[in-house]
Every structure is written in structure tokens, then in C-alpha cells.
Amino acid sequence: MRSSPLIEYSSTVLMLCLWLGAITTVFSSLIGLFQQDIKKVIAYSTMSQLAQDIYSKSIVNNRHQTICVETFFFLIRKVNSQITNARKHYGVYISNILFNSLIKFIWLFFILTCRIEKWKFIIIRKLVGISEAIRLILIYYSRYNSTHVKNYSSTSFIDNKGFNQWLAGVIDGDGHFILTKKGYYRLHIVMDIRDKDALYQILHKFGGSIRPMSNANALRYNLSNRKGLTKLIEAVNGEIRNPTRLLQMNKLCVKFDIKLMYPDILSFNNGWLSGFIDSDGSVYFNKASGQVSISVTQKNKYLLDPLICIYGGRVDPSNERGDAFKYVMYRKKELFKMVDSYFYKYPLRTMKKNRISLIKEFYEARLGINSKDLELLNKWVLFKDRWEKYHD
């Protein structure tokens, strides 16, 4: 169809057609490059071809203004034709790509599987070698102890005995043996929630469960399994000193056919006090007297009186009614002796142990009544923060 003379001799209209066709060609070609549907690719390719007819006539009539544009779109036309030709075999091309990708994936999976199995075999071989070496070391160590130690004074025995004595002290303070009329039996131990590590040590040794108490910032350890409860009773039998706990445990001993054993006289080298402090004790700073004190509160005064002769301190009524008593250790010499000689061998297992480790530092950091030393004041502020937050 022949163009109108008005369009042929109007340079403005020719330039408008030129740029309109150029933009349409580039735009449709770029869109066609990124399409996945073959129908859309052919549609945009056709649109690009039709746009070329518009600007080709403008180039003929306006040659002197479009040298650069013609060169640029010659390249576009080549690319466009290549896309159209390639898309004719689109299905076969995609099939080849998918097939090759699948083969490569299977091969890669096979290689990775072989490598993983190889490393798995190497790791297992190394672990078996390490475990065998540890087993031989333990066998040698046990034979060495059996030939050189004639009594039960090995380290493991002391640790177990110390733990059992500590556990007896905890049960005497916050424990409770229960045997119902229906024959149900269990042990309860209640502790502050921040002392959960101590309860988990008991759980790992005897089993049971630990659950939070409702409306209280505390945890309760429950042991109702007969095997675990029997094992625990055998561990603390002969170490329980609270008469109330002895009566409770005696009922379970009768049920489980275990002979009840009474404790020996308490001595300095006994871990019972450590557990008793972990349960019913406290370590605090008395602002009025400017002293650190270790105290244990208990209703049974006869359970506290023997502590005075062994560890020092005194026993006072804890309230005006006189139905509870408090054992208090406050003298510097007695506290230092406990830190160096007793708690070093029988450490606390609750967060109170952090305050025990700060007792000596307290006497170094404490301020005098009229002290104005800023350096000492800063040291005291830092110490007090650690003391209140139970930081070691």
C-alpha cells in the first residue's frame, strides 16, 4: 500500500514513525527474550517484525537522520530472527535440557552419596578406635586401683559417698517421702527455680521428673519409680538425720524390704551439712552488723544443736513464737575455716555456692563506717552487684 504524500514529505511525522517503530521493536524483542510460553514468544516476535515495517519506510524517506538507528536495529533484527528460529524447536530443546540436567543431577547425587558413605565409614572407624582406647585406659586404671588400694578410699567412692551425704541433707531439709493408703509411693524435693542444676544432678542419678510448681518460683522433683526410689533409699540409708524423714523413709523400707539404718554421730568431714544448707540454708549480708552469715532454719532444735560443737556458731529462735530455730555462723574465723576446709571438699550444688566463694572477698571489699575512699567505694559497688545477683 502506497504511503500518503503528506506523510512522505513531513519530516516530523516520519521521525515520529521512526522512533515509534524503533521503540516497539526493542520493547517487544526484550519481552520475548524472557518469556517461557512459546505462544507469547511468537506473539512478541511477530510484534517486533511488524514494528520493523513501520520504521523501515521512515528510514527510506529520512535516510540522513537515521544512520545510527538503522545499524542498531539491524542487530536487533538478527537477534529477533534467531529467537524465532530457536523457538520452532522449543519443545525438543527443553526436553534435551531437562534430560541432561536429570543425568547431571543423578551423577552428582551418586558422587555425593559415595563421598558421604566414605566419610561416614572413616568417622565411625575413628570413633571405634577412640572408644577402644578409652576402654583400655579404664581397664588399666581399675586394675591399678585394685592392686594398690586395699580399702574403699578411691576417689569415685568418696565422690559417691559425699553426694549421698549431700542428698541426705537436702532430703532432711526440703524432701518428703510419701506412702499413701492405696500403696502409692514417691519422693518430693522442692527447690528454688534458680537451683534447677542441683535437682537435675539427682534426676540423672536416680531418674524421676522435674516440674514447675504453680503460683511459685520453684521446682519440684518427683521420684515414683520403684527401681529408682529403691536405689535412692539405699544411697541415703544411714545418712538421714531428721526424725520426721526417718519415720517417712521407714515406711518405704518396710514396703521394699530394706533394713533401716540409723546415722552415725555427725563429724566435720561429712557432706550432710552442705546439702542441709542447700535446702534450708542461706548466705546473706547483715547491713546492721556489717557481717556475712551462714544460717539454717529448722523446726527441730535438736537437729541444729550438734552443729555448734562441730562447726561453731549458735542457735537462736527464728520467731517470737519459738516454734522454729535458726543456726547462725557469723564469726570471720569460723567462716574462713568452712570455706577453706569444708566447702572445698563438700561444695554446695545450688546457686548459694557463688556467695560462699565471695565470703573472703567481702572482707576485702567492705567499707568502713566513715570511709570516703572512691576506689574502695567502686570496688564495693561492683562486689555488691555480684553478691545480689549470685554471680561468682
Side-chain angles (χ1 to χ4, degrees):
M1 182 178 178
R2 192 174 180 275
S3 299
S4 175
L6 292 176
I7 296 177
E8 291 179 357
Y9 294 102
S10 176
S11 60
T12 303
V13 175
L14 289 174
M15 286 297 297
L16 180 61
C17 292
L18 173 71
W19 287 106
L20 182 61
I23 293 171
T24 305
T25 303
V26 174
F27 182 76
S28 57
S29 298
L30 291 175
I31 294 178
L33 284 172
F34 297 99
Q35 294 300 320
Q36 300 298 326
D37 190 352
I38 188 64
K39 293 181 180 180
K40 291 183 179 181
V41 173
I42 295 174
Y44 283 111
S45 178
T46 304
M47 185 187 298
S48 179
Q49 295 288 348
L50 292 175
Q52 290 180 26
D53 293 337
I54 296 176
Y55 76 80
S56 61
K57 294 179 180 180
S58 300
I59 290 173
V60 172
N61 294 303
N62 201 13
R63 174 72 62 179
H64 62 283
Q65 298 181 12
T66 58
I67 296 174
C68 294
V69 176
E70 183 180 13
T71 304
F72 175 74
F73 285 101
F74 173 79
L75 298 174
I76 293 296
R77 189 160 53 251
K78 290 292 185 183
V79 172
N80 195 46
S81 62
Q82 292 295 327
I83 294 172
T84 304
N85 293 331
R87 293 298 180 173
K88 291 180 181 178
H89 306 285
Y90 182 80
V92 178
Y93 180 70
I94 293 300
S95 300
N96 292 335
I97 291 176
L98 292 175
F99 181 77
N100 293 333
S101 300
L102 181 61
I103 294 299
K104 290 180 180 179
F105 176 78
I106 294 173
W107 178 250
L108 180 62
F109 178 78
F110 177 76
I111 293 175
L112 290 176
T113 304
C114 293
R115 292 292 179 86
I116 292 172
E117 290 295 325
K118 179 181 178 181
W119 280 104
K120 184 178 179 180
F121 175 78
I122 294 174
I123 292 172
I124 293 174
R125 186 177 62 186
K126 296 293 185 182
L127 291 176
V128 170
I130 293 171
S131 62
E132 187 68 13
I134 294 173
R135 187 180 70 85
L136 292 174
I137 292 173
L138 292 176
I139 291 174
Y140 174 79
Y141 181 76
S142 62
R143 289 179 179 177
Y144 178 83
N145 285 337
S146 63
T147 55
H148 289 78
V149 181
K150 296 182 180 180
N151 51 25
Y152 293 101
S153 61
S154 63
T155 305
S156 59
F157 180 80
I158 293 175
D159 291 342
N160 289 332
K161 187 176 181 179
F163 181 86
N164 295 339
Q165 291 171 348
W166 171 85
L167 179 58
V170 171
I171 294 174
D172 277 340
D174 287 333
H176 188 67
F177 291 104
I178 300 174
L179 179 62
T180 65
K181 294 181 180 179
K182 294 183 178 181
Y184 298 113
Y185 42 80
R186 59 184 176 271
L187 167 68
H188 289 168
I189 300 176
V190 179
M191 280 190 174
D192 192 278
I193 195 169
R194 65 172 173 239
D195 299 327
K196 60 181 180 180
D197 290 342
L199 290 179
Y200 274 105
Q201 291 182 39
I202 304 173
L203 183 143
H204 292 157
K205 196 172 182 66
F206 302 102
S209 63
I210 297 174
R211 295 179 181 177
M213 298 183 64
S214 59
N215 301 324
N217 195 26
L219 297 173
R220 183 168 64 183
Y221 168 75
N222 300 315
L223 180 60
S224 57
N225 179 271
R226 176 164 185 161
K227 182 178 179 181
L229 194 54
T230 303
K231 183 180 178 182
L232 184 142
I233 291 174
E234 291 175 348
V236 300
N237 198 9
E239 302 293 346
I240 297 292
R241 300 178 182 277
N242 190 331
T244 304
R245 301 292 175 269
L246 280 171
L247 291 174
Q248 295 171 358
M249 193 174 74
N250 183 53
K251 296 178 181 179
L252 295 179
C253 288
V254 172
K255 183 175 181 61
F256 299 151
D257 194 20
I258 300 174
K259 183 180 178 181
L260 179 67
M261 298 175 61
Y262 293 93
D264 296 330
I265 297 175
L266 184 64
S267 62
F268 186 88
N269 292 316
N270 192 303
W272 179 86
L273 179 62
S274 179
F276 200 47
I277 293 174
D278 269 336
S279 58
D280 281 344
S282 62
V283 184
Y284 62 94
F285 162 59
N286 192 331
K287 294 182 180 180
S289 62
Q291 293 177 324
V292 170
S293 300
I294 300 175
S295 67
V296 183
T297 303
Q298 182 62 226
K299 292 183 178 181
N300 191 340
K301 183 175 182 293
Y302 298 101
L303 197 62
L304 303 177
D305 286 338
L307 303 179
I308 300 175
C309 299
I310 302 170
Y311 305 104
R314 68 169 190 263
V315 176
D316 299 324
S318 63
N319 54 41
E320 296 179 355
R321 297 189 303 271
D323 56 356
F325 300 89
K326 179 189 291 187
Y327 169 76
V328 184
M329 188 186 306
Y330 58 91
R331 295 185 181 89
K332 181 179 177 181
K333 183 178 180 180
E334 295 173 348
L335 293 174
F336 279 27
K337 181 181 179 182
M338 292 294 292
V339 172
D340 294 334
S341 302
Y342 182 81
F343 292 120
Y344 179 79
K345 187 175 182 180
Y346 304 102
L348 301 182
R349 299 173 188 268
T350 64
M351 292 299 291
K352 297 168 189 173
K353 64 183 178 182
N354 293 344
R355 284 190 172 180
I356 292 293
S357 66
L358 294 173
I359 287 179
K360 286 189 173 182
E361 188 175 341
F362 163 79
Y363 287 97
E364 297 176 0
R366 68 173 178 173
L367 293 172
I369 299 177
N370 299 320
S371 177
K372 297 181 180 179
D373 190 343
L374 293 178
E375 184 178 354
L376 191 60
L377 178 62
N378 291 332
K379 187 177 180 181
W380 171 252
V381 171
L382 293 175
F383 170 81
K384 192 175 180 181
D385 181 68
R386 293 164 57 199
W387 179 271
E388 292 177 352
K389 294 181 179 179
Y390 285 84
H391 289 168
D392 194 356

